[in-house]
Every structure is written in structure tokens, then in C-alpha cells.
Amino acid sequence: MESDLRLESSLWVGNKRYLAVLTGWHFRWTEADKKKRDKKTVSVPVAELVGVEEGLVEILPRKSVEDRDKDFTVFYVKRSSTRNSYGLLWKLGRIQFSCPSRVLRDQWTKQLKTAVKTHSPLRPQRLLVFINPYGGKKKGRQIYHSLVAPLFELADISSHVIVTERGNQARDHLLKKDLTGFDGVVCVGGDGMFSEILHGVIGRTQQEAGVCENDPAVTLQPCPLHIGIIPAGSTDCVCYATGGVIDPVTSALHIIVGDSQPLDVCSVHYGSGLVRYSVSLVGYGFYGDVLSESEKHRWMGPVRYDYSGALVYLSNRSYAGTVHYLPADPLLSSPRDKTRCLSGCGVCARSTERLFPNSSDSGSLYSSYSGQFNTESEDNGSNTAFAKLPLLKSKSAHV
């Protein structure tokens, strides 16, 4: 309950004194010496605390630690104060507190860390990370090690990192290797890399359940592993659709706090065999030819899509085909049922809600309490937002 008071004391931020309060679900600090009535309180849900470190600590762009007996640093999710056309950015908030004594400092760090573990049970602890070094502008490795790995380390998430050297390496690894102990799989790359991991995770689940993927009438089993997406590709459509923004730090923070976004999965069959799974789009004819042609010009980067599109358009080919589909039950959902779709569009992106609050308590929202929102193969000891795949009712398209 919100009234579950854990710790309260006066702390210093620079030369200003603050009243800090830790309850069961929130950590708040209010400037204590301000005489005006409009004292501003910054309130952070415990579920959105990223890490707590002793001393004065900086993480990005590089880690630095100044050891002080009476100081501690709190890192938390901070929503961007400016909402651009691409969605709402999440940044790493940071505040440094000074305590009257080392004993009090130890109390605060211990209680904050305990509160995070108690109220964030869905946070991952160990992740399998695949990096595509050739996707997009070939910056996948740099993006992970400079922006994502420090955040995972701060959140006490360990990771096993694999830099792929060929196509479908990630898929083959997921189909054959031991995945015991991993809470999720993270892809650092674009839509192609995500597709590889999608096929590996779904295929592995069906193999272990004894389900035949080639049967379009079969009910697929749900995947126990979540998929996290760190955008580093040419288009990053799936990342945008799940998180509403293409930003590595935002995606990493969603993964850290344990957010998940359900995705509809479509299986495409031809004859008696499975062609592939899709969560974004299935292209046939012109679009399929554009993608096929673009693979011959990967050296061009994202421009290859424009070039290939013009080339295929000028070829003036024609295509024939029949598509059968299963319509959705109108009794289960409707565009006008006022239920939030969570599709990652601009409407949802303008909301301050977490994707899936873990509790009926307001702990997953920024509190309006007496003030403002805080808008401001190699092994590695450190470690979208997880994409949760609801495969119980997957549909099949026959072409």
C-alpha cells in the first residue's frame, strides 16, 4: 500500500536540503527549505528505478565513480520533456544525494535496492544478446557497448553476447543450443535480425512441445522467452511499432524495467510447408521483389530500398495470387470499444502509462503528488522493450 512508509529523512542535493520519502511504491524528494507554497515534488515509481550506487557515479557516456562515504546516486527512468513526432523518449535520470552519516547512506541504498526487487518481479536477470554488425549503418556493436551494456550493468543484468557472422546464425543458435537460465533474447539490429530471432524462439518452442509447424491448423504453443529489440537497422519497423520510438536507450530502459508488448503473429504456409512467420507485414509480388532486389545492394545502406523500388517499378511486372484469411471475431474487439490498442502509434505514445502496469496500484505511473512529473561470441559481465509473443491464437495465411 502507498501508506507503507519504509524510510524518510532529510537529504542534500548540492547545497539544497530535500525531504526524501520511500514508500512501498514510490520514491519522492521535495525541496525542504523553499518558502513558497508551490514546492515541487519529484516522484518516481519504485518499478522505474534503474539502479542505486554508493558514491557519486556517472554512467553515460562513460562510467566514473567518486567514492564518498555519505553519498549515493539514484538512476531512474526519466521521460523526455519534449515530445517529438516519433514518440516519447525515455532517458536515464540521475540524482546524487548526500546524507548526514554513512549509516543513513547505507540504510537508503539497502532499502531502495530491496524495494526494486520486491516491486519489479518481472525484470530480467540474464539475457542472450545477438548483435548484427552489418545491419543499417553497421553500428550495432557500437550502439550496444556504448549505450546499452552500461545500462544493463547498472541494473545488475548479466548477458551472453554473440556477434553474428552469417545470416540465420541467431536462428540456428536458438534452435539448437541450451537456453536454460535465460530470461529473454535481445536483438541488436533491424527487422531482419528480429525475424531471425522470432523464427528461432517460436521454432524452438514448438519443437520442445512436439507441435508440427508445417500444419496450418495447429495451435502454436506460447513462447516462454521474451524478445527485446535494440534498434540498429535500416528501418526498425517492429521496434517503432512496439515502443513508439526508435531509440536504443529508450528500448534498453523498457527491457530493464520488464515492460512487455504483445504482438500478433502470422504464419504463412505454401502447400504443405511453413514459409515464415511475420509480426509486421507479409509482402507478395512487387514488395517481395523490392526486398529481394535490395538484398543485392546492402552495401548502399538504407538507400538500397529506394533504388530497388525504382528498379522493380520500371520492370513493370505483373503478379497473380489468391489470399484466404480468417476474420477476427467482432465480439472480442472493436475499433470503437475504447480499449487501448498498444500498437505503438502516436496516440499511445502520448500516454505516460507503462505498457503493462504490474499492479493495480499507481506504482507504474508518474504520480501527480503535489507537483510535477519527473520529465527531465563474447561474454560480458554486464548485460524494444520485450516483445511478448501471444501465440495461442496465431492465424495462418495461405498463398
Side-chain angles (χ1 to χ4, degrees):
M1 296 178 61
E2 190 60 50
S3 60
D4 180 19
L5 181 62
R6 293 179 180 271
L7 193 58
E8 178 178 357
S9 70
S10 292
L11 300 177
W12 292 83
V13 179
N15 59 356
K16 294 183 179 180
R17 188 169 66 91
Y18 283 77
L19 176 64
V21 179
L22 173 63
T23 64
W25 292 98
H26 285 87
F27 175 47
R28 302 186 177 101
W29 57 94
T30 307
E31 190 171 344
D33 298 330
K34 194 170 184 178
K35 296 181 179 180
K36 296 181 179 179
R37 292 184 178 180
D38 60 339
K39 293 182 179 180
K40 294 182 179 179
T41 294
V42 178
S43 179
V44 180
V46 168
E48 295 186 5
L49 293 177
V50 178
V52 181
E53 298 284 328
E54 296 178 353
L56 303 183
V57 182
E58 180 65 80
I59 297 297
L60 299 175
R62 58 181 58 87
K63 186 173 183 178
S64 64
V65 180
E66 184 179 346
D67 189 15
R68 295 188 182 181
D69 289 344
K70 301 179 182 180
D71 298 331
F72 68 97
T73 306
V74 176
F75 296 90
Y76 58 95
V77 171
K78 182 178 181 181
R79 290 171 173 81
S80 175
S81 58
T82 58
R83 297 176 180 179
N84 55 36
S85 58
Y86 297 100
L88 188 63
L89 292 173
W90 279 21
K91 297 180 179 179
L92 183 65
R94 168 177 158 273
I95 186 166
Q96 298 173 338
F97 292 102
S98 295
C99 302
S101 67
R102 179 170 183 171
V103 173
L104 183 60
R105 190 278 305 270
D106 292 342
Q107 278 186 291
W108 272 106
T109 55
K110 180 181 179 180
Q111 290 287 354
L112 285 169
K113 291 179 179 180
T114 300
V116 171
K117 291 182 179 180
T118 302
H119 297 295
S120 301
L122 299 181
R123 290 195 182 196
Q125 296 181 345
R126 188 165 182 247
L127 298 172
L128 177 59
V129 179
F130 291 99
I131 301 176
N132 179 4
Y134 305 108
K137 297 181 180 179
K138 300 182 179 181
K139 293 184 177 181
R141 200 184 313 218
Q142 176 187 345
I143 287 173
Y144 177 77
H145 288 294
S146 63
L147 297 177
V148 179
L151 297 180
F152 285 175
E153 180 182 7
L154 175 64
D156 292 327
I157 298 175
S158 64
S159 66
H160 177 70
V161 181
I162 297 176
V163 180
T164 59
E165 299 176 350
R166 59 175 175 82
N168 290 322
Q169 180 180 346
R171 183 201 64 184
D172 295 342
H173 183 99
L174 292 169
L175 288 174
K176 301 175 182 178
K177 300 296 182 178
D178 184 12
L179 305 179
T180 304
F182 290 109
D183 301 309
V185 183
V186 174
C187 70
V188 184
D191 296 326
M193 188 64 170
F194 172 82
S195 180
E196 271 195 48
I197 292 178
L198 175 75
H199 283 77
V201 170
I202 296 179
R204 176 64 173 268
T205 303
Q206 308 321 307
Q207 285 180 11
E208 294 179 347
V211 174
C212 179
E213 294 180 275
N214 292 322
D215 183 358
V218 76
T219 299
L220 299 180
Q221 298 301 304
C223 302
L225 289 177
H226 289 186
I227 300 176
I229 310 171
I230 303 297
S234 300
T235 55
D236 302 306
C237 292
V238 179
C239 180
Y240 183 83
T242 53
V245 66
I246 300 175
D247 177 64
V249 172
T250 300
S251 295
L253 291 173
H254 276 293
I255 292 172
I256 287 171
V257 301
D259 269 341
S260 63
Q261 169 69 65
L263 293 177
D264 292 325
V265 179
C266 170
S267 60
V268 182
H269 293 256
Y270 180 77
S272 60
L274 171 71
V275 178
R276 67 178 58 247
Y277 296 108
S278 173
V279 299
S280 178
L281 59 87
V282 176
Y284 168 76
F286 173 80
Y287 191 78
D289 282 348
V290 170
L291 292 180
S292 178
E293 181 67 29
S294 69
E295 287 300 304
K296 304 174 184 178
H297 311 286
R298 294 192 67 90
W299 58 271
M300 299 176 66
V303 180
R304 69 182 185 272
Y305 295 116
D306 296 330
Y307 174 79
S308 300
L311 200 65
V312 174
Y313 175 77
L314 293 175
S315 69
N316 195 28
R317 301 172 187 169
S318 60
Y319 309 90
T322 302
V323 177
H324 300 275
Y325 65 94
L326 299 175
D329 188 343
L331 298 179
L332 297 179
S333 63
S334 166
R336 298 177 179 84
D337 60 8
K338 297 182 180 180
T339 300
R340 184 180 172 197
C341 66
L342 297 170
S343 65
C345 64
V347 175
C348 295
R350 284 190 289 272
S351 173
T352 58
E353 291 185 71
R354 289 272 304 282
L355 295 180
F356 280 93
N358 297 331
S359 169
S360 59
D361 185 273
S362 59
S364 58
L365 305 177
Y366 276 129
S367 171
S368 59
Y369 171 78
S370 66
Q372 62 179 8
F373 297 142
N374 59 49
T375 55
E376 305 202 63
S377 170
E378 71 185 87
D379 269 315
N380 189 329
S382 65
N383 178 308
T384 262
F386 280 120
K388 186 179 181 181
L389 308 177
L391 300 179
L392 290 174
K393 296 183 178 179
S394 298
K395 305 301 181 184
S396 301
H398 303 276
V399 297

